[in-house]
Amino acid sequence: MVISERRRITYTAIAVILVGIITGFLLGSVFLSGAPPTKTFNIVNYHWGFALYDEDWNEIEQIEVNRGTEVRLVAFPLSVLSNEIKEQLWQRIVDKGFGEYQPGDSKIAGLIEVAYADLDSVDHGVFIGLLNVDLRPNANASTLEKAVDSIKFTTDAIGSFDIICSVFCGEGHDYMVLEGAFVVR
């Protein structure tokens, strides 16, 4: 009886060890092969332009991800940002011009003055057609949560994609294009 009791204990110990190894292997492979974390990018849309930021609010020139990456885009209307950021973005328009307006053109100041006075009533959209992104932040919203719009998706198309305004926003709407700003490798 002593031998059979030892065998039973031995077989039980081996079974427990095997179950532990198999469970560890399965759980480990799930964690190791799990999807990478979501990459978040922020987009601020303003009259005649877009500003792109990473998840830590560092400004970037374009969004770059690898194919298969889960991406979260969050679109903010200019109306919810600080006056300092608003002024910086307006200055870009003066410095780079848009459409038929050359950098420094005195007519830009007048357009900005009209747009700035109407800042909280003009909405813009963020559209990336081939990626099925169409965000509509709300400049008139009463809270930040209602003002922003976001989408989460996995990139499966490879290429360089334009970001355009999908909501008619007045004079200069046709120039609200950020060419090749979303890149999937």
Side-chain angles (χ1 to χ4, degrees), residues 76-90:
F76 292 82
L78 186 61
S79 61
V80 301
L81 300 177
S82 71
N83 287 335
E84 180 183 351
I85 292 174
K86 291 175 190 175
E87 294 300 327
Q88 289 172 0
L89 296 176
W90 289 123

Side-chain angles (χ1 to χ4, degrees), residues 53-106:
Y53 300 89
D54 66 14
E55 62 189 12
D56 296 321
W57 283 94
N58 298 305
E59 190 165 8
I60 54 178
E61 288 189 30
Q62 64 184 26
I63 296 170
E64 293 184 47
V65 296
N66 292 323
R67 183 176 186 203
T69 300
E70 185 174 67
V71 174
R72 180 171 182 250
L73 295 180
V74 184
F76 292 82
L78 186 61
S79 61
V80 301
L81 300 177
S82 71
N83 287 335
E84 180 183 351
I85 292 174
K86 291 175 190 175
E87 294 300 327
Q88 289 172 0
L89 296 176
W90 289 123
Q91 189 59 47
R92 286 185 189 176
I93 299 304
V94 173
D95 293 344
K96 76 174 189 174
F98 70 94
E100 70 269 11
Y101 301 103
Q102 297 304 309
D105 187 323
S106 61

